[in-house]
Amino acid sequence: DQQVKQNSPSLSVQEGRISILNCDYTNSMFDYFLWYKKYPAEGPTFLISISSIKDKNEDGRFTVFLNKSAKHLSLHIVPSQPGDSAVYFCAAIQSNAGGTSYGKLTFGQGTILTVHP
Amino acid sequence: DTGVSQNPRHKITKRGQNVTFRCDPISEHNRLYWYRQTLGQGPEFLTYFQNEAQLEKSRLLSDRFSAERPKGSFSTLEIQRTEQGDSAMYLCASSPGDSLYQPQHFGDGTRLSIL
């Protein structure tokens, strides 16, 4: 079962405009969420994260929004740049209640972002 | 910080052969994770080490797979009697030991191709 879903396989935007990448999850035990960016032939690189006690976290051009009741999060990139073209993965970590979580990441399938000059 | 290093970058082998991959995490990172990524999918968790102790294994890790981290530094992942379905990118990640919520740093992976 896919506990983290990114339903848009790809997204194409114009340079300077906003990119919005979406992610849904089903496991209510997830309490920490991360976005990673991946270029071809490289490993994923951490972008930004958010704890379940917050609904927004901002870092420069990147903002992540979390809607716990809807089990939905989104990554906004403003303004988008051609160098942002990559695969973006949403990932989640399960709560350590009971001491059984070791921080493993559960990933979505990824969204390919293409930013056109 | 030299990053997470994985070797080899590519491995091509015949079905039925054994293969071993190595991961060198960032120095002093206590936590080490192995993931597997197939085409069009996100990485999937395989196993987790805290120092030299293997504390979690995914059901994806069949008995043909074994992982070690003998001195709490580098780690190896061995696949015995490889099968076609083992073809994938194998990713290693590490993070500091103070919090499980610290972002994991990934290596560039080992791409395994089974002929």
Side-chain angles (χ1 to χ4, degrees), chain A residues 45-78:
Chain A
T45 302
F46 169 72
L47 262 180
I48 191 169
S49 61
I50 188 167
S51 165
S52 61
I53 62 174
K54 295 185 175 182
D55 55 14
K56 177 182 175 181
N57 189 26
E58 197 169 350
D59 184 2
R61 297 186 297 114
F62 302 91
T63 303
V64 56
F65 296 92
L66 175 62
N67 183 332
K68 275 189 67 176
S69 60
K71 292 191 175 66
H72 177 85
L73 63 156
S74 61
L75 174 68
H76 293 210
I77 306 173
V78 183

Coordinates of all heavy atoms in Angstrom, one line a residue, chain A residues 45-78:
Chain A
T45 N 18.6 15.1 -2.5 CA 19.1 16.1 -1.7 C 18.0 16.8 -0.9 O 17.0 17.1 -1.5 CB 19.8 17.2 -2.6 OG1 20.8 16.6 -3.4 CG2 20.4 18.3 -1.7
F46 N 18.2 16.9 0.4 CA 17.2 17.5 1.3 C 16.9 18.9 0.9 O 17.8 19.7 0.7 CB 17.6 17.4 2.7 CG 16.8 18.2 3.7 CD1 15.5 17.8 4.0 CD2 17.3 19.4 4.3 CE1 14.7 18.5 4.9 CE2 16.5 20.1 5.1 CZ 15.2 19.7 5.4
L47 N 15.6 19.3 0.9 CA 15.2 20.7 0.6 C 14.7 21.4 1.8 O 15.1 22.4 2.2 CB 14.1 20.6 -0.5 CG 14.5 20.9 -1.9 CD1 13.2 20.8 -2.8 CD2 15.2 22.2 -2.1
I48 N 13.6 20.8 2.3 CA 12.9 21.5 3.4 C 12.0 20.5 4.1 O 11.7 19.5 3.6 CB 12.0 22.7 2.8 CG1 11.4 23.6 3.9 CG2 10.9 22.1 1.9 CD1 10.8 24.9 3.4
S49 N 11.7 20.8 5.4 CA 10.9 19.9 6.2 C 9.9 20.6 7.0 O 9.9 21.8 7.1 CB 11.8 19.0 7.1 OG 12.5 19.9 8.0
I50 N 8.9 19.9 7.6 CA 7.9 20.4 8.4 C 7.4 19.4 9.4 O 7.2 18.2 9.1 CB 6.7 21.0 7.6 CG1 5.8 21.8 8.5 CG2 6.0 19.9 6.9 CD1 4.7 22.6 7.7
S51 N 7.3 19.9 10.7 CA 6.8 19.0 11.7 C 5.2 19.1 11.7 O 4.7 20.1 11.3 CB 7.3 19.5 13.1 OG 6.5 19.0 14.1
S52 N 4.6 18.1 12.2 CA 3.1 18.0 12.2 C 2.5 19.0 13.1 O 1.3 19.3 13.1 CB 2.6 16.6 12.5 OG 3.1 16.3 13.8
I53 N 3.3 19.7 14.0 CA 2.7 20.7 14.9 C 2.7 22.0 14.2 O 2.2 23.0 14.8 CB 3.5 20.8 16.2 CG1 5.0 21.2 16.0 CG2 3.5 19.5 17.0 CD1 5.7 21.5 17.2
K54 N 3.2 22.1 13.0 CA 3.2 23.4 12.2 C 2.3 23.2 11.0 O 2.0 22.1 10.6 CB 4.6 23.8 11.8 CG 5.5 24.1 13.0 CD 6.8 24.6 12.5 CE 7.7 25.1 13.6 NZ 9.0 25.6 13.2
D55 N 1.9 24.3 10.4 CA 1.2 24.2 9.1 C 1.9 24.9 8.0 O 1.5 24.8 6.8 CB -0.2 24.8 9.3 CG -0.2 26.3 9.8 OD1 0.9 26.9 9.8 OD2 -1.3 26.8 10.2
K56 N 3.1 25.5 8.3 CA 3.9 26.2 7.3 C 5.3 26.3 7.7 O 5.6 26.6 8.9 CB 3.3 27.6 7.0 CG 4.0 28.4 6.0 CD 3.4 29.8 5.9 CE 4.2 30.7 5.0 NZ 3.6 32.1 4.9
N57 N 6.2 26.1 6.7 CA 7.6 26.3 7.0 C 8.2 26.9 5.7 O 7.9 26.5 4.6 CB 8.3 25.0 7.3 CG 9.8 25.3 7.8 OD1 10.1 26.4 8.3 ND2 10.6 24.3 7.6
E58 N 9.0 28.0 5.9 CA 9.5 28.7 4.7 C 11.1 28.8 4.8 O 11.7 28.9 5.8 CB 9.0 30.1 4.8 CG 9.0 30.9 3.5 CD 8.2 32.2 3.6 OE1 7.5 32.4 4.6 OE2 8.4 33.1 2.7
D59 N 11.7 28.6 3.6 CA 13.1 28.7 3.5 C 13.5 29.3 2.1 O 13.5 28.6 1.1 CB 13.8 27.3 3.7 CG 15.3 27.4 3.7 OD1 15.9 28.5 3.5 OD2 16.0 26.4 3.8
G60 N 13.7 30.6 2.1 CA 14.0 31.2 0.8 C 12.8 31.1 -0.2 O 11.7 31.5 0.1
R61 N 13.1 30.6 -1.3 CA 12.1 30.4 -2.4 C 11.1 29.3 -2.1 O 10.1 29.1 -2.8 CB 12.7 30.3 -3.7 CG 13.6 31.5 -4.2 CD 14.1 31.3 -5.6 NE 15.0 30.1 -5.7 CZ 14.7 29.1 -6.5 NH1 13.5 29.0 -7.1 NH2 15.6 28.1 -6.5
F62 N 11.4 28.5 -1.1 CA 10.7 27.2 -0.9 C 9.8 27.4 0.4 O 10.3 27.8 1.4 CB 11.6 26.0 -0.7 CG 12.6 25.8 -1.9 CD1 13.8 26.4 -1.9 CD2 12.1 25.0 -2.9 CE1 14.6 26.2 -3.0 CE2 13.0 24.8 -4.0 CZ 14.2 25.4 -4.1
T63 N 8.5 27.0 0.2 CA 7.6 27.0 1.3 C 6.8 25.7 1.3 O 6.3 25.3 0.3 CB 6.6 28.1 1.3 OG1 7.3 29.4 1.2 CG2 5.7 28.2 2.5
V64 N 6.7 25.0 2.5 CA 5.9 23.8 2.6 C 4.7 24.1 3.5 O 4.9 24.7 4.5 CB 6.8 22.6 3.1 CG1 7.4 22.9 4.4 CG2 5.9 21.4 3.2
F65 N 3.6 23.7 3.0 CA 2.3 23.8 3.7 C 1.8 22.4 4.1 O 1.9 21.5 3.3 CB 1.3 24.5 2.9 CG 1.6 25.9 2.5 CD1 2.3 26.2 1.3 CD2 1.3 27.0 3.3 CE1 2.6 27.5 0.9 CE2 1.6 28.3 3.0 CZ 2.3 28.5 1.8
L66 N 1.3 22.3 5.4 CA 0.8 21.0 5.8 C -0.7 21.2 6.3 O -1.0 22.1 7.1 CB 1.6 20.5 7.0 CG 1.1 19.2 7.7 CD1 1.1 18.1 6.7 CD2 2.0 18.9 8.9
N67 N -1.6 20.4 5.8 CA -3.0 20.4 6.2 C -3.2 19.0 6.8 O -3.4 18.0 6.1 CB -3.9 20.6 5.0 CG -5.3 20.6 5.4 OD1 -5.8 20.0 6.4 ND2 -6.1 21.3 4.6
K68 N -3.1 18.9 8.1 CA -3.2 17.6 8.8 C -4.5 17.0 8.6 O -4.6 15.7 8.5 CB -2.8 17.8 10.3 CG -1.4 17.7 10.6 CD -1.1 17.7 12.1 CE -1.6 16.4 12.7 NZ -1.3 16.3 14.2
S69 N -5.6 17.8 8.7 CA -6.9 17.2 8.7 C -7.2 16.5 7.3 O -7.9 15.5 7.2 CB -8.0 18.2 8.9 OG -7.9 19.3 8.0
A70 N -6.6 17.1 6.3 CA -6.7 16.6 4.9 C -5.6 15.6 4.6 O -5.6 15.0 3.5 CB -6.7 17.7 3.9
K71 N -4.6 15.4 5.4 CA -3.5 14.6 5.2 C -2.8 15.0 3.9 O -2.6 14.1 3.0 CB -3.8 13.1 5.2 CG -4.2 12.6 6.6 CD -4.3 11.1 6.6 CE -4.6 10.5 8.0 NZ -5.9 10.9 8.5
H72 N -2.5 16.2 3.7 CA -2.1 16.8 2.5 C -0.9 17.8 2.8 O -1.0 18.6 3.7 CB -3.2 17.5 1.7 CG -2.8 18.1 0.4 ND1 -2.6 17.5 -0.7 CD2 -2.4 19.4 0.2 CE1 -2.2 18.3 -1.7 NE2 -2.1 19.5 -1.1
L73 N 0.1 17.7 2.0 CA 1.1 18.8 2.0 C 1.5 19.2 0.6 O 1.3 18.5 -0.4 CB 2.3 18.4 2.8 CG 3.2 17.2 2.4 CD1 4.6 17.4 3.0 CD2 2.7 15.9 2.9
S74 N 2.0 20.4 0.5 CA 2.4 21.0 -0.8 C 3.7 21.7 -0.6 O 4.0 22.3 0.5 CB 1.3 21.8 -1.4 OG 1.1 22.9 -0.5
L75 N 4.5 21.8 -1.7 CA 5.7 22.5 -1.8 C 5.5 23.6 -2.8 O 5.1 23.3 -3.9 CB 6.9 21.6 -2.2 CG 8.2 22.3 -2.4 CD1 8.8 22.9 -1.1 CD2 9.2 21.3 -3.1
H76 N 5.7 24.9 -2.4 CA 5.7 26.0 -3.3 C 7.1 26.5 -3.6 O 7.8 26.7 -2.6 CB 4.8 27.1 -2.7 CG 3.4 26.8 -2.6 ND1 2.4 27.7 -2.6 CD2 2.7 25.6 -2.4 CE1 1.2 27.1 -2.5 NE2 1.4 25.8 -2.3
I77 N 7.4 26.7 -4.8 CA 8.6 27.3 -5.2 C 8.3 28.6 -6.0 O 7.7 28.6 -7.0 CB 9.4 26.3 -6.2 CG1 9.6 25.0 -5.5 CG2 10.8 26.9 -6.5 CD1 10.2 23.9 -6.4
V78 N 8.8 29.7 -5.4 CA 8.6 31.0 -6.0 C 9.8 31.9 -5.9 O 10.3 32.1 -4.8 CB 7.4 31.7 -5.3 CG1 7.1 33.1 -6.0 CG2 6.1 30.9 -5.3

